[in-house]
């Protein structure tokens, strides 16, 4: 499998201020960003920066956009890997692919974002039918983590925190949980998205108990229906 087929170099520019997440998560992420901005000064005091982050929790709540925003703030490229796409029937081939991806990110001083991390970080105590092979894969990942240079940044994301191997979990200096947003958080998000549309289209019924991604899809679907209905009405009155 070609390495270029496995990796996505994302160029989308997202600012941290454009994201909606808890104050606790924002404070923790700002600390990591500052550490990497002042890494040379910190190293003078033999202080290691946090460079391995695990984002976990509900789908559609901003894990991928967080990684993009961090890379943008640090003025770095981001290499995005969806791990479900690189799992090979031969575990050895998967290990080879992942090592090549790590090497590429380190060589290019890029932020490495591994989505669906549970695909390769599954507990070695699991009842997977290929548990022996999975153990070898997890051991490979642990070694890659341990030798990952401090001036590089690794961000992993999962919706299934509970199945990640405990030895891997310990290697993340920062583990941030992404919960479904509260009503007041969603109202702020609704306001920001709806304000980009004409005023007379903004009065839609608001849904709660869903993710930011689901809100965005819902708004876009509602807007398309309203705009198409207006256009049809104009055609009928011509």
């Amino acid at each position: 499998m070609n390495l270029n087929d496995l990796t996505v170099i994302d160029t989308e520019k997202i600012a941290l201020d454009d994201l909606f997440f808890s104050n606790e998560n924002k404070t923790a992420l700002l600390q990591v960003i500052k550490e990497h901005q002042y890494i040379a000064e910190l190293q003078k005091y033999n202080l290691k920066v946090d460079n391995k982050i695990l984002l976990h929790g509900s789908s559609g709540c901003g894990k991928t956009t967080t990684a993009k925003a961090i890379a943008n703030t640090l003025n770095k490229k981001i290499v995005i890997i969806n791990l479900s796409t690189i799992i090979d029937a031969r575990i050895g081939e998967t290990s080879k692919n992942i090592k090549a991806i790590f090497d590429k990110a380190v060589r290019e001083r890029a932020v490495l974002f591994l989505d669906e991390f549970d695909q390769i970080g599954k507990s070695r105590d699991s009842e997977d039918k290929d548990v022996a092979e999975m153990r070898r894969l997890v051991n490979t990942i642990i070694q890659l983590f341990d030798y990952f240079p401090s001036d590089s940044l690794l961000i992993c994301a999962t919706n299934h925190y509970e199945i990640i191997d405990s030895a891997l979990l310990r290697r993340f200096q920062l583990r941030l949980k992404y919960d479904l947003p509260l009503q007041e958080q969603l109202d702020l998000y609704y306001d920001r998205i709806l304000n980009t549309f004409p005023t007379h289209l903004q009065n839609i019924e608001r849904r709660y108990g869903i993710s930011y991604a689901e809100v965005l899809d819902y708004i876009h679907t509602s807007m398309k229906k309203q705009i198409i209905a207006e256009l049809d009405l104009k055609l009928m009155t011509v």
Side-chain angles (χ1 to χ4, degrees):
M1 190 177 292
N2 190 298
L3 182 59
N4 291 328
D5 295 332
L6 303 175
T7 59
V8 175
I9 307 297
D10 198 284
T11 58
E12 184 181 7
K13 300 297 183 183
I14 298 177
L16 276 177
D17 288 341
D18 292 335
L19 302 185
F20 289 78
F21 41 43
S22 69
N23 290 331
E24 293 82 3
N25 284 1
K26 186 172 185 178
T27 299
L29 292 170
L30 286 174
Q31 172 68 20
V32 170
I33 288 170
K34 288 294 183 184
E35 288 182 14
H36 282 265
Q37 288 174 333
Y38 297 116
I39 187 170
E41 290 79 1
L42 293 173
Q43 287 177 338
K44 292 177 183 177
Y45 297 94
N46 294 319
L47 294 171
K48 295 182 179 180
V49 300
D50 291 345
N51 69 334
K52 291 181 281 290
I53 304 170
L54 179 65
L55 310 178
H56 62 96
S58 301
S59 178
C61 290
K63 295 187 288 294
T64 301
T65 50
T66 294
K68 292 179 182 180
I70 291 173
N72 182 45
T73 304
L74 292 173
N75 197 29
K76 289 177 176 286
K77 290 193 300 185
I78 181 169
V79 177
I80 298 177
I81 310 296
N82 186 321
L83 290 171
S84 65
T85 66
I86 71 169
I87 300 299
D88 195 279
R90 295 167 296 172
I91 296 293
E93 191 66 26
T94 300
S95 297
K96 179 183 175 181
N97 290 335
I98 291 171
K99 185 179 184 305
I101 289 165
F102 269 74
D103 290 344
K104 174 183 175 68
V106 170
R107 188 170 58 249
E108 298 181 0
R109 296 181 179 274
V111 172
L112 176 57
F113 178 62
L114 304 181
D115 199 8
E116 296 197 29
F117 184 65
D118 48 278
Q119 292 289 325
I120 62 169
K122 191 182 299 182
S123 172
R124 288 168 291 181
D125 295 327
S126 70
E127 297 180 359
D128 194 289
K129 63 180 179 179
D130 298 318
V131 66
E133 296 290 347
M134 185 58 69
R135 282 175 180 168
R136 284 194 281 272
L137 176 57
V138 172
N139 287 337
T140 297
I141 305 302
I142 288 173
Q143 291 176 1
L144 290 171
F145 272 40
D146 287 345
Y147 290 100
F148 196 68
S150 59
D151 60 352
S152 297
L153 185 57
L154 170 67
I155 305 174
C156 300
T158 179
N159 299 337
H160 304 287
Y161 179 90
E162 68 284 353
I163 69 172
I164 303 296
D165 191 89
S166 59
L168 279 171
L169 287 177
R170 287 196 300 270
R171 283 163 167 79
F172 290 102
Q173 299 106 338
L174 197 60
R175 289 171 276 179
L176 303 180
K177 186 177 182 182
Y178 281 61
D179 293 313
L180 285 176
L182 301 174
Q183 180 171 329
E184 52 265 34
Q185 293 171 315
L186 281 181
D187 277 330
L188 291 173
Y189 190 65
Y190 271 111
D191 291 342
R192 174 177 290 189
I193 304 302
L194 287 172
N195 283 338
T196 63
F197 295 96
T199 304
H200 72 283
L201 299 178
Q202 295 179 17
N203 190 27
I204 64 172
E205 180 183 354
R206 298 190 175 192
R207 296 176 179 175
Y208 299 100
I210 58 178
S211 68
Y212 293 117
E214 289 171 313
V215 168
L216 186 61
D217 288 342
Y218 167 59
I219 290 176
H220 284 176
T221 298
S222 298
M223 290 303 154
K224 286 185 287 187
K225 287 180 179 178
Q226 291 187 82
I227 291 168
I228 290 171
E230 286 188 347
L231 293 173
D232 281 344
L233 184 60
K234 286 181 179 179
L235 287 175
M236 292 172 61
T237 56
V238 171

